[in-house]
Amino acid sequence: MADIETRPELMEKIVALAKRRGFLYPGSEIYGGVGSTYDYGPLGALLKMNVKQAWWKSVVERRDDVVGIDSAIIMHPKTWEASGHLQGFTDPLVDCKGCRKRFRADHLLEGESAGMPGLKERPKDIKEVRCPECGGELTDVRQFNLMFKTFMGPVEDEAAATYLRPETAQGIFVNFANVLQTSRLRVPFGIAQMGKSFRNEITPGNFIFRTREFEQMEMEYFVKPGTDEEWFEFWKGFMMDWFVSLGVKEENLRFQEHDKEELSHYSKRTVDLEYRFPWGWAELWGCANRTDFDLKQHAALSGKDLSYRDPVTGESYVPYVVEPALGTDRAVLTFLLDAYEEIEGGRTTTTESVKEVETVLRLHPALAPVKAAILPLSKKEPLAALAREIRDSLAGRHSVQYDDTGSIGRRYRRQDEIGTPYCITVDFDTPQDRKVTVRDRDTMEQERVPIDDLGPMLAEKVGI
Ligand code: GAP
């Protein structure tokens, strides 16, 4: 258990910053919140959009072998019979007989029971474990299906029962033949989509790490059987490279192979890219070799032929599938945690008596919700008009903020805390030379730049 390094205070700081600066709020807060839901505020919505855009660019736009779709959340109930979710998408549930708290048995075995009195090493059987909250006795394990059930139309009977999708992947499998017919793709090729998924999690928690409503960014890569292992290695490497290219520290990322007993019913092999979250290492992005399981199941239940015929070689087969599946909200949490830095004594204040801890969110410029802040040194003309002119010329191409309130140091600190990579100061020389000072968030270096060069400069610096 000693390997579990925890940084609970970091999580508290991120939650507080997220609320204070408008990244994330507790859902339905005015009614006291509802079951671990969160709403993205103005900055959070921008950050999440940038994360999705970065993923879409790398997985779809830059590749000529991947296309994107956007399928319905409510699917034909047979989908879930075929995929195995109706029968097997369950989590093992235990209740405490004393305090009535509910836990996932697998999580208790994995280490959430760490530090419990009487337990020297990680338990092998749930019977060895007692309630981590009150030490009470636990019930036997019951399997609990995670699908959210609802009814299509006005009558609430079994014939009208449908489910909110627990993964976006099935929307891709049921459209395999449609995409093949309407695009000129040849195996190997991928179909990607991002969107909401729903799971009635027993124990949601750790902020937006595990929620009941969340977003996924998934890609199903269809390959010739026999080439699946090679492609698996490719996409596994891609996952690590993507996070590192967006600034996440390599030492906070690692791969974790699933044991045979841990594998999902459809998987031949699964490797998780894990992040060192404040409570320990946990899954961020899973890569699974789903074989031909899904296509064969959907072919069997729908009666449609979902095999592939190579137009050049004439060979016919059901493709294997390699699936990198990432949670958008988990990615957002990872970027926030990894970017967070506190500087003791600050770096913008030189006066000893007012020195304080300063926060810098070192988000990759492509992910930062605000790309540049325009800061006139005076609210009066002619600086105000020039600053407005700059704001108007950049807005629409970049997300920018205008701030003319408070000392320049305080304004820098406000922007550092939300991760704005560039601050543009309009000063008393600007009316004469039509130049502004651009300050870099990370190096704090300042550069004098002509107003007309700002647009191209930002485009170059904040792109990916
Ligand atoms: N299609 C395969 C699939 O859904 P998964 O490992 O169950 O695989 C993929 O989910 C990713 O979705 C996870 O790695 C995680 O990032 C995210 N995810 C899963 N359940 C989640 C939840 N309850 N809350 C937030 N993110 C979740």
Side-chain angles (χ1 to χ4, degrees):
M1 284 176 205
D3 61 329
I4 300 169
E5 191 188 329
T6 55
R7 296 167 293 162
E9 73 295 341
L10 174 59
M11 198 64 170
E12 280 162 29
K13 284 173 180 168
I14 289 292
V15 175
L17 173 76
K19 173 84 201 297
R20 189 172 69 249
R21 298 306 312 269
F23 283 91
L24 283 142
Y25 314 121
S28 311
E29 195 181 9
I30 60 166
Y31 290 107
V34 56
S36 288
T37 65
Y38 292 91
D39 296 336
Y40 284 79
L43 293 182
L46 286 168
L47 172 59
K48 180 154 113 171
M49 201 153 65
N50 294 341
V51 169
K52 286 162 71 171
Q53 241 170 40
W55 181 85
W56 193 262
K57 268 204 169 116
S58 325
V59 175
V60 183
E61 272 178 27
R62 288 222 181 90
R63 304 188 59 94
D64 59 7
D65 57 349
V66 180
V67 291
I69 64 162
D70 185 4
S71 71
I73 286 175
I74 298 176
M75 301 180 67
H76 194 290
K78 281 231 168 200
T79 308
W80 309 114
E81 214 180 306
S83 68
H85 282 84
L86 268 181
Q87 308 87 307
F89 194 51
T90 55
D91 273 342
L93 168 79
V94 286
D95 291 300
C96 171
K97 290 181 183 169
C99 69
R100 307 250 160 243
K101 276 241 158 109
R102 194 153 272 184
F103 305 95
R104 266 179 62 174
D106 54 332
H107 286 176
L108 292 179
L109 289 174
E110 274 162 21
E112 279 181 15
S113 51
M116 274 179 48
L119 270 183
K120 297 252 168 353
E121 51 186 46
R122 209 163 260 177
K124 295 201 174 45
D125 193 305
I126 195 69
K127 292 204 166 58
E128 296 169 42
V129 183
R130 295 188 75 86
C131 171
E133 298 285 329
C134 73
E137 196 186 331
L138 299 175
T139 59
D140 288 340
V141 175
R142 282 178 293 141
Q143 292 299 328
F144 172 78
N145 194 297
L146 301 184
M147 301 258 281
F148 266 101
K149 196 174 187 174
T150 184
F151 299 93
M152 197 72 128
V155 184
E156 292 200 5
D157 63 15
E158 274 313 300
T162 50
Y163 301 88
L164 303 186
R165 68 180 177 202
E167 61 172 12
T168 58
Q170 296 305 325
I172 295 176
F173 293 125
V174 301
N175 279 296
F176 172 74
N178 279 337
V179 174
L180 254 188
Q181 272 157 24
T182 51
S183 44
R184 288 183 301 147
L185 290 162
R186 276 184 66 198
V187 165
F189 73 90
I191 307 177
Q193 84 162 323
M194 29 190 206
K196 291 256 176 172
S197 291
F198 302 83
R199 296 182 188 177
N200 204 357
E201 297 281 359
I202 299 167
T203 50
N206 285 326
F207 197 29
I208 52 169
F209 177 82
R210 182 174 289 107
T211 49
R212 295 188 171 113
E213 172 183 347
F214 56 99
E215 279 198 57
Q216 288 187 306
M217 305 188 282
E218 300 197 286
M219 201 268 293
E220 310 303 318
Y221 200 73
F222 300 92
V223 304
K224 190 174 173 185
T227 64
D228 47 310
E229 287 173 19
E230 220 175 287
W231 278 110
F232 188 96
E233 288 307 320
F234 172 83
W235 286 109
K236 181 184 153 210
F238 178 95
M239 290 166 18
M240 172 71 91
D241 293 348
W242 190 78
F243 270 101
V244 172
S245 75
L246 288 169
V248 172
K249 296 169 204 80
E250 221 170 322
E251 67 264 26
N252 290 335
L253 294 164
R254 74 173 189 192
F255 288 117
Q256 193 71 355
E257 185 92 31
H258 280 214
D259 295 335
K260 284 265 169 302
E261 317 77 73
E262 263 185 284
L263 288 177
S264 308
H265 58 279
Y266 51 72
S267 177
K268 171 177 159 188
R269 182 183 174 202
T270 298
V271 173
D272 289 339
L273 178 68
E274 293 192 337
Y275 181 71
R276 195 169 68 93
F277 286 99
W279 62 92
W281 291 96
E283 174 183 349
L284 172 58
W285 196 343
C287 189
N289 183 342
R290 292 183 80 125
T291 67
D292 52 9
F293 175 86
D294 300 272
L295 287 181
K296 279 194 168 156
Q297 283 288 104
H298 286 302
L301 267 90
S302 67
K304 301 282 184 308
D305 179 12
L306 296 181
S307 60
Y308 167 79
R309 188 167 183 279
D310 192 291
V312 176
T313 65
E315 264 181 295
S316 232
Y317 54 85
V318 177
Y320 266 37
V321 172
V322 176
E323 176 198 64
L326 173 61
T328 313
D329 313 85
R330 244 176 236 193
V332 167
L333 178 60
T334 300
F335 287 121
L336 282 173
L337 288 164
D338 214 73
Y340 187 89
E341 192 179 319
E342 281 182 353
I343 298 168
E344 281 300 325
R347 52 179 203 165
T348 57
T349 316
T350 41
T351 319
E352 273 315 311
S353 57
V354 289
K355 269 183 173 291
E356 56 187 10
V357 176
E358 288 180 21
T359 302
V360 187
L361 211 50
R362 296 190 192 274
L363 288 170
H364 188 287
L367 302 181
V370 177
K371 308 300 180 194
I374 296 111
L375 316 174
L377 280 189
S378 157
K379 287 185 181 176
K380 297 193 186 130
E381 301 304 346
L383 267 58
L386 270 171
R388 280 270 152 214
E389 177 196 319
I390 293 169
R391 195 217 81 92
D392 293 347
S393 75
L394 297 177
R397 279 181 290 165
H398 303 286
S399 138
V400 294
Q401 261 188 13
Y402 187 91
D403 185 3
D404 60 5
T405 313
S407 73
I408 191 70
R410 198 149 281 287
R411 282 185 267 171
Y412 282 155
R413 289 203 286 285
R414 277 205 287 268
Q415 296 300 329
D416 285 348
E417 197 184 40
I418 62 168
T420 307
Y422 302 103
C423 283
I424 299 169
T425 308
V426 179
D427 59 31
F428 296 99
D429 291 332
T430 309
Q432 284 80 48
D433 63 6
R434 284 193 63 82
K435 286 184 177 170
V436 287
T437 305
V438 178
R439 170 196 181 257
D440 182 299
R441 174 198 68 201
D442 296 332
T443 61
M444 292 210 302
E445 270 167 23
Q446 307 208 356
E447 193 189 344
R448 204 87 190 131
V449 176
I451 290 176
D452 293 341
D453 293 354
L454 284 172
M457 187 204 82
L458 268 188
E460 193 198 313
K461 287 188 186 276
V462 305
I464 35 167

